[in-house]
Amino acid sequence: MKEKDLTSYMQSVISCLEKDRKRPAAHTYRYALKSFMKFSGGEDMPVDKVFMPGRLKEYEEWMKRDGKSLNTISTYMRTLKAVYNRLVAEKVLPYEAKLFDGIYTKVEQQTKRALTKEQIGVLLHADFRQLPQKERRALAYFLLMFLLRGMPFIDLAHLRRQDIKGNCLVYCRHKTGRQLTVHIPREAAWLLEEFWNDNPDSVYLLPILDGKQKDKGEPYACYLHALHNFNKDLVKMAAVLLPGVKISSHTARHTWATLAFYQGMSVGIISKALGHSSIKNSKTTGLLDVSS
């Protein structure tokens, strides 16, 4: 195999991920590579010099000094571990069982990410007129995500006009490609009608991505730009309607899953409703704010 330096190898992996439309993963690999290259001072290293216990520990300590969060450190280290596993599978590097021992690869679980029944009730009955236009739109999108079975923001953003089939949405999950059918409840129907994309040339149901692709170029970068603005507007909206409550694009999904669980829905059914590819491998329990 010719590609034995980290940059060329990771770029080949990124190209494969892009080809398979796994853009979030490609984005993570790209930024992990960028971070490691910054650590190395721009020096490209052979993979056998990268995957050494001392080098990996130096990189971890460098990220700590650089102010990276534990989740960021874990994400980049887990990405490198995935790259290492690929190299081992391709017999480029030998397997060393303890290579990542002592390297931080955990995920810091955030607690209480779901809203209570009373808090989501406040949002459902909010007077949209008291909010500025951007915050009004953020509230509408948040409620749609909650009402449409905890739909992720990336799926909401990519909904197309043709996905509406009668009183249902039939669409494919962006992450897994799995087709889902979601009933449109009355509370969501008026939001879709009120915030409908009025651009006749757009394929999107909602105007979340319109106008951003021209400015940002790469499709996934367009989505990240939209996500950043959505989270920023959510914080402003929550400051008015739910002072002191932390809220993000993940909150709607966590809230739906948690309330469904407390209403007696089984974890298996919740997992299926959320569109997880496998109940066995899903992270449904991580979405639930429940006591152990």
Side-chain angles (χ1 to χ4, degrees):
M1 178 177 171
K2 296 180 179 179
E3 297 177 324
K4 292 186 179 181
D5 60 278
L6 185 67
T7 298
S8 58
Y9 185 79
M10 286 191 68
Q11 285 177 340
S12 71
V13 174
I14 291 167
S15 296
C16 290
L17 291 171
E18 291 281 6
K19 185 178 180 180
D20 293 339
R21 298 179 62 83
K22 297 179 179 179
R23 296 191 179 95
H27 177 80
T28 300
Y29 273 66
R30 191 176 292 114
Y31 273 80
L33 175 59
K34 182 179 178 181
S35 172
F36 190 87
M37 290 301 292
K38 184 178 178 182
F39 154 72
S40 68
E43 177 189 355
D44 199 6
M45 295 184 185
V47 291
D48 60 341
K49 301 299 182 184
V50 173
F51 295 102
M52 302 170 60
R55 184 82 68 200
L56 293 172
K57 196 64 182 177
E58 287 175 9
Y59 177 45
E60 180 186 59
E61 294 299 325
W62 176 84
M63 284 194 285
K64 289 178 181 177
R65 293 193 301 272
D66 197 45
K68 296 290 188 293
S69 69
L70 288 177
N71 271 349
T72 298
I73 292 172
S74 175
T75 297
Y76 290 168
M77 283 303 189
R78 284 184 287 114
T79 302
L80 286 179
K81 189 173 183 178
V83 170
Y84 171 72
N85 289 336
R86 285 174 177 264
L87 289 164
V88 170
E90 295 172 17
K91 301 188 184 304
V92 176
L93 292 177
Y95 175 66
E96 296 181 36
K98 298 184 178 181
L99 180 61
F100 282 84
D101 284 5
I103 301 298
Y104 188 78
T105 55
K106 297 179 181 179
V107 177
E108 290 293 304
Q109 289 290 345
Q110 301 173 4
T111 58
K112 298 301 178 185
R113 291 171 291 184
L115 299 180
T116 65
K117 184 178 180 180
E118 292 72 25
Q119 288 169 337
I120 194 66
V122 169
L123 300 185
L124 285 167
H125 297 96
D127 183 354
F128 278 71
R129 293 172 298 181
Q130 68 176 297
L131 296 171
Q133 183 178 6
K134 288 184 178 180
E135 286 85 336
R136 192 181 308 163
R137 233 175 243 286
L139 174 58
Y141 297 157
F142 183 88
L143 291 177
L144 282 170
M145 291 161 64
F146 171 75
L147 293 165
L148 298 173
R149 280 191 341 212
M151 180 181 289
F153 183 67
I154 192 168
D155 289 351
L156 185 77
H158 286 89
L159 285 177
R160 300 166 299 170
R161 299 173 189 269
Q162 67 191 56
D163 292 334
I164 293 184
K165 310 291 185 183
N167 63 346
C168 292
L169 280 168
V170 181
Y171 71 99
C172 290
R173 276 214 62 196
H174 204 80
K175 183 176 181 180
T176 64
R178 185 177 184 182
Q179 182 173 289
L180 295 179
T181 299
V182 180
H183 172 71
I184 303 173
R186 182 183 59 185
E187 299 89 343
W190 85 266
L191 288 170
L192 287 173
E193 183 176 351
E194 181 71 19
F195 294 90
W196 181 273
N197 191 346
D198 57 7
N199 178 3
D201 298 322
S202 176
V203 298
Y204 296 120
L205 182 62
L206 298 165
I208 297 173
L209 297 178
D210 283 355
K212 296 178 178 63
Q213 189 156 335
K214 182 178 179 181
D215 298 335
K216 296 293 173 181
E218 199 271 318
Y220 191 65
C222 300
Y223 161 71
L224 290 178
H225 178 66
L227 176 62
H228 173 76
N229 287 337
F230 176 57
N231 277 316
K232 185 171 62 176
D233 294 336
L234 274 181
V235 171
K236 295 178 181 177
M237 178 274 293
V240 176
L241 299 178
L242 295 172
V245 176
K246 292 185 178 180
I247 193 170
S248 75
S249 57
H250 299 291
T251 308
R253 191 165 171 81
H254 288 285
T255 301
W256 183 85
T258 299
L259 294 183
F261 178 81
Y262 278 123
Q263 288 178 359
M265 190 179 293
S266 72
V267 172
I269 294 177
I270 292 172
S271 179
K272 185 177 180 180
L274 291 170
H276 289 154
S277 56
S278 167
I279 294 176
K280 180 179 179 181
N281 297 322
S282 77
K283 297 181 180 178
T284 302
T285 52
L287 288 168
L288 305 177
D289 284 351
V290 296
S291 301
S292 58

